[in-house]
Amino acid sequence: MPEVPPLLFPEPQRAHWSGAAVSLGRAGAAESETLPIVLPQDAAPLEQEAAQLIANRLVALGLPRPALSSGVPVEQPAIRLGAGALALPGMAELLDGVPDRPEGYALRIALGTIALVGRTPEGTYSAAQTLVQLLQRQDENVLLPAGEVQDWPDLRYRGLYVESKWGPDLMTLEDWCRLIDEMAALKFNSLGIGVYGCWVVQYDGRRTEFLMVPFPEHPELKTPKVIRWYSPASGTWQSLDYLPRMFTEDFLGQIVAYGRRRNVRVRPHFNGPGHNTLIPSVYPEVSAKTAEGTPTGYGYCLTSEATYRLLFSLYDSLIERHLRPHGGTWWHMAMDEVNPYVGIDPRDETRAVSPWCECPQCRGRDRAELLVDFAVRSIEHLVGRGITDITLWNDALEKLGALERFAERLRQRGLLQHVVVQWWRYSEPPLEPRPETGVRAWVTPMAGYWSNLFHHSYLTNIYSMLAGGYARGAEGADAYCIYDPAYHRNYACLAEYAWNQTSTGDLFQFKSKYARWLVPPDEQSSRGGVRTRFGPGVELFDRLDHIFDSSYEPLGTLLDSLLYYWYTYPAARAAGLRYPRDVLAGLAGLRGAPRAWPAIERAHGFAETARARIQDALARTESDDAKRRVLQEYNAECTKLIEVVNGYAAALSAVSAYRRAQQGWKENRAEAQAALQSAATSLDKAAAAVREALASLERTKAPFLLPHTLRDLSELYAYFAALAAAAKQLLEQLPDTLPDFFTLG
């Protein structure tokens, strides 16, 4: 029998379960034995999608595909959707108990009849997503728990913003559609897609720039990339020279259309004036300028008509090619972090470059007024092109003390209803919106961003940001992320508290619920035949959260410092740091304090315990692909940490052995050679450990995440392998003296 109460994400507002189970048939049954799905003849597209969603789930569970019909008598058993469900006794009254909100719905499951009806087609679609989660197979029987649900969202808009970075730039159309399906299953209805954003110089001495959509009228605008990494599967180094998949295949419009079919509104995120180097570098006439009139290649001249002509032509191209044909009416104009940065200029990374123009026209204007003018003028243009909802970040306007001025200008221009300010913060304390401005508000926590680092849990940030936002009248929640299936728990937490702030309980309750969903208690974790609230999943996440919970900032920072990513930034190069030589030297006590190692070993121990629990759960979770996928992701994340630490531990043993070899090289050559051989062996182990981490990721991670994820770890593998080769060469050559260990690699 299905678990009572069933574990649903997000939790319904009101649900009553009788404890009985309703059978929909046995796997392999004849088609005539399957309940038909009844839809009104004039069913809306979302209601038709809801019917197909249910039918597909029944087929996946082994039942024949049910017939779709509009003429089944009320007394005949059926699955009824939409207006047809209201003909059943008591359904109108059940729906009357649901607030008048677009996604509100009522659901009844009883012997012979399943009825779903929403306040709108959106609501019926949400009801279908709940029903699909409830459908389970036990042995050969397909079952549903008998009961009633009255449900609606507390926040009108809920979803993810996927940044334009490594990973998303390699997502295929199928990957984006799969993401939308997963979002719809969690009742998300908003997907932001970064299409243009720029950052400082990182890899290969090049600025980090991403343009995800082509502009045929501006072929100069493109962001080629090269990634090189080691592949354990092939035993060779791989190289990828590419442009973003969305750019080369030009499929943003298809994502918009697919999202609309799944009740997910897609909006492009086009950044500026900050996070903006590509456009002003290619077209210096629109760039911010120094007081001497030299284009900086960063930011815009906000008083130049050339800036607006170019930007509005890009906006119009994107709207006409990708949004308007597919019913897209949302836009994200960003405007975050309009700040000077070191590392913008590839010719001089130490120089701070400002996005603020110093030409005579701009220099004489207040920056707050310049930014408000830019925002309002851009919003007015977008609204004139049919865009109805425009989101932008809070920080630049707030930093300049311009939010009230911005709101007043919107009122004056009749634009206030079109604009949403997104309040973002990815750490504690949570940032709360300011409803007194009169501007619509969403909150934006973090849902997971750095797949190339160690895993991060952002549950505390998500929970606190959404609680504060709801209390302050926010209408939506939109988490910042790079899409990675490993972050499913973060997404589920976001879905839980964006949908239901009133009956879900505190964060501990969500953690316990998710743990029981992923790793259900077995017979050994039951008492008196009744399943307890806790089980092996709770113990598992206790270990995982000791390692990966981002609210434990010092440990996360320490662990991530073992990896390459932060050393790609200009600040690390300016400080003369070399990765991973200086990390290893620090751990060996030659640079910095060695006291960090016990904390690293403790995290390693937690990861080993967690991995053992995960592998046990995988052995007991053979038929549920969704759970296996999450467990496999956690297995790979634990293996990554375990083997990276194993690699450093072996390398530290090599440092110690090499020191002994140096000290005795002239006095006792035989013992010194043995120590040098021990160092070489340890370095082989170090390289092998990192290679195992690479292999585990290569077996598990989504293909679009692999190049960037493996690139960073490949730096560590190459270093240990080079040290091992150098130590072996010394054994062959037997020079008069041994060089310093840290010059070998």
Side-chain angles (χ1 to χ4, degrees):
M1 180 180 296
E3 178 167 351
V4 178
L7 299 176
L8 296 170
F9 298 100
E11 188 73 21
Q13 300 282 357
R14 298 181 195 141
H16 172 73
W17 308 104
S18 71
V22 174
S23 175
L24 274 69
R26 294 178 61 83
E31 185 173 345
S32 60
E33 298 178 39
T34 304
L35 292 181
I37 296 178
V38 181
L39 275 170
Q41 287 185 337
D42 60 349
L46 269 177
E47 292 175 318
Q48 296 172 24
E49 288 290 336
Q52 292 298 335
L53 186 72
I54 296 168
N56 291 341
R57 175 62 177 164
L58 292 172
V59 170
L61 291 172
L63 295 182
R65 181 168 292 277
L68 298 183
S69 175
S70 60
V72 178
V74 171
E75 62 273 11
Q76 182 175 329
I79 301 172
R80 298 178 187 275
L81 282 77
L86 290 174
L88 297 173
M91 280 305 295
E93 291 78 7
L94 193 64
L95 186 61
D96 283 345
V98 175
D100 189 12
R101 298 182 189 178
E103 290 168 289
Y105 69 89
L107 167 64
R108 173 173 289 154
I109 301 170
L111 186 63
T113 298
I114 293 93
L116 311 83
V117 60
R119 287 287 183 191
T120 64
E122 292 176 82
T124 302
Y125 187 77
S126 294
Q129 292 289 1
T130 299
L131 187 73
V132 164
Q133 283 196 52
L134 290 169
L135 281 162
Q136 300 293 328
R137 179 169 164 175
Q138 184 172 312
D139 299 323
E140 296 301 310
N141 292 302
V142 176
L143 302 174
L144 282 169
E148 294 181 345
V149 175
Q150 294 172 310
D151 201 13
W152 61 90
D154 282 330
L155 296 181
R156 175 68 179 99
Y157 301 111
R158 310 162 307 280
L160 302 172
Y161 164 55
V162 179
E163 182 63 277
S164 51
K165 271 294 182 77
W166 297 284
D169 65 337
L170 287 174
M171 287 175 67
T172 64
L173 177 59
E174 291 73 23
D175 291 326
W176 286 104
C177 292
R178 189 177 303 112
L179 167 59
I180 288 172
D181 286 340
E182 292 179 13
M183 291 176 63
L186 291 169
K187 298 188 177 70
F188 289 143
N189 60 6
S190 168
L191 170 60
I193 297 178
V195 298
Y196 175 61
C198 309
W199 291 264
V200 299
V201 174
Q202 283 187 262
Y203 297 93
D204 306 319
R206 301 173 68 175
R207 283 187 297 227
T208 302
E209 299 173 331
F210 290 88
L211 181 65
M212 303 281 275
V213 291
F215 291 97
E217 322 83 32
H218 300 278
E220 306 88 352
L221 294 176
K222 54 187 175 182
T223 53
K225 298 281 185 300
V226 178
I227 298 182
R228 185 171 178 267
W229 72 96
Y230 180 75
S231 164
S234 66
T236 61
W237 285 84
Q238 305 286 315
S239 183
L240 182 64
D241 188 342
Y242 71 101
L243 289 164
R245 288 292 291 267
M246 192 186 298
F247 184 100
T248 57
E249 298 176 21
D250 205 13
F251 54 64
L252 176 62
Q254 293 170 262
I255 301 175
V256 175
Y258 191 84
R260 193 177 183 194
R261 287 172 49 195
R262 298 295 192 271
N263 194 38
V264 175
R265 298 162 180 83
V266 174
R267 72 194 193 286
H269 176 288
F270 197 106
N271 217 330
H275 288 294
N276 167 41
T277 55
L278 174 67
I279 292 172
S281 295
V282 173
Y283 297 105
E285 63 270 23
V286 309
S287 172
K289 298 172 180 63
T290 65
E292 295 74 33
T294 304
T296 63
Y298 178 36
Y300 295 129
C301 176
L302 297 181
T303 60
S304 169
E305 286 301 310
T307 298
Y308 294 97
R309 283 195 300 271
L310 176 60
L311 280 181
F312 292 172
S313 73
L314 296 175
Y315 295 172
D316 292 351
S317 175
L318 200 153
I319 291 168
E320 294 303 323
R321 290 186 300 113
H322 295 293
L323 299 186
R324 194 188 305 280
H326 306 289
T329 61
W330 284 23
W331 189 276
H332 195 318
M333 61 180 297
M335 289 184 19
D336 62 313
E337 298 183 332
V338 189
N339 303 321
Y341 278 107
V342 171
I344 289 291
D345 186 353
R347 298 162 299 182
D348 182 3
E349 293 183 22
T350 63
R351 184 172 70 90
V353 183
S354 174
W356 293 102
C357 184
E358 293 293 333
C359 77
Q361 291 74 27
C362 290
R363 189 167 60 244
R365 298 277 305 279
D366 174 62
R367 286 182 176 176
E369 191 63 27
L370 280 171
L371 193 61
V372 169
D373 281 351
F374 170 78
V376 173
R377 187 169 175 181
S378 298
I379 290 165
E380 197 161 36
H381 179 85
L382 291 166
V383 170
R385 294 298 186 271
I387 300 300
T388 61
D389 294 84
I390 299 160
T391 55
L392 51 87
W393 303 116
N394 71 290
D395 60 293
L397 287 166
E398 236 200 333
K399 182 179 178 182
L400 293 169
L403 201 55
E404 287 79 4
R405 194 182 323 182
F406 174 60
E408 183 56 33
R409 286 281 299 279
L410 293 175
R411 286 189 193 92
Q412 293 171 1
R413 305 298 294 178
L415 299 170
L416 194 61
Q417 72 273 22
H418 295 290
V419 179
V420 177
V421 172
Q422 288 192 239
W423 299 78
W424 64 275
R425 181 174 287 167
Y426 310 143
S427 59
E428 300 306 303
L431 181 67
E432 295 182 352
R434 292 170 50 200
E436 65 272 14
T437 64
V439 186
R440 298 160 60 193
W442 292 4
V443 290
T444 300
M446 171 66 79
Y449 183 78
W450 293 279
S451 294
N452 54 315
L453 297 178
F454 292 119
H455 188 71
H456 296 101
S457 164
Y458 286 98
L459 301 192
T460 301
N461 178 236
I462 293 167
Y463 175 78
S464 59
M465 283 286 286
L466 268 62
Y470 178 71
R472 297 283 286 169
E475 68 176 32
D478 182 72
Y480 187 71
C481 72
I482 296 297
Y483 170 54
D484 184 343
Y487 290 121
H488 181 266
R489 187 168 71 139
N490 291 344
Y491 305 153
C493 182
L494 178 71
E496 186 92 335
Y497 293 108
W499 182 273
N500 188 342
Q501 279 283 319
T502 51
S503 61
T504 47
D506 59 19
L507 188 55
F508 175 80
Q509 287 176 281
F510 169 79
K511 288 182 175 182
S512 172
K513 173 183 167 182
Y514 189 90
R516 287 185 291 121
W517 171 79
L518 186 61
V519 188
D522 56 21
E523 293 77 10
Q524 294 179 346
S525 58
S526 299
R527 296 174 184 168
V530 179
R531 285 185 173 181
T532 66
R533 183 180 180 187
F534 307 104
V538 174
E539 180 191 5
L540 165 62
F541 279 105
D542 179 63
R543 300 296 187 275
L544 291 173
D545 285 343
H546 271 84
I547 315 165
F548 298 135
D549 191 333
S550 63
S551 61
Y552 302 151
E553 187 65 30
L555 179 59
T557 300
L558 173 61
L559 292 175
D560 286 339
S561 73
L562 302 177
L563 303 174
Y564 180 44
Y565 184 71
W566 297 118
Y567 295 86
T568 69
Y569 275 82
R573 290 192 292 275
L577 297 177
R578 282 182 54 190
Y579 177 87
R581 180 200 66 185
D582 292 332
V583 179
L584 184 60
L587 294 173
L590 302 180
R591 175 177 290 187
R595 290 177 296 174
W597 189 248
I600 294 170
E601 286 187 311
R602 182 173 175 79
H604 177 273
F606 279 127
E608 287 191 314
T609 303
R611 186 172 65 174
R613 301 290 186 272
I614 291 165
Q615 291 175 350
D616 177 65
L618 278 167
R620 296 189 292 113
T621 311
E622 297 181 356
S623 59
D624 193 321
D625 291 340
K627 293 179 182 179
R628 287 190 63 82
R629 182 183 182 189
V630 176
L631 287 166
Q632 287 163 350
E633 293 284 353
Y634 276 118
N635 184 68
E637 296 293 344
C638 288
T639 297
K640 177 179 180 179
L641 190 148
I642 290 165
E643 297 300 350
V644 166
V645 175
N646 285 345
Y648 276 107
L652 288 173
S653 295
V655 171
S656 178
Y658 193 86
R659 285 174 178 166
R660 295 197 305 273
Q662 277 185 308
Q663 292 166 1
W665 193 249
K666 292 185 178 180
E667 289 77 13
N668 192 329
R669 180 61 63 90
E671 287 187 6
Q673 282 183 243
L676 182 57
Q677 178 62 62
S678 176
T681 300
S682 292
L683 290 168
D684 275 335
K685 291 179 180 178
V690 180
R691 189 167 59 246
E692 177 53 35
L694 286 162
S696 178
L697 293 168
E698 193 171 24
R699 290 190 297 266
T700 306
K701 304 302 288 186
F704 58 85
L705 292 169
L706 278 178
H708 181 49
T709 302
L710 299 187
R711 163 171 60 182
D712 281 15
L713 211 53
S714 295
E715 291 288 325
L716 186 60
Y717 168 71
Y719 180 67
F720 288 155
L723 286 176
K728 293 171 187 175
Q729 188 175 38
L730 290 174
L731 280 169
E732 293 176 0
Q733 295 175 347
L734 297 178
D736 292 337
T737 59
L738 293 181
D740 179 74
F741 179 87
F742 292 100
T743 66
L744 294 179

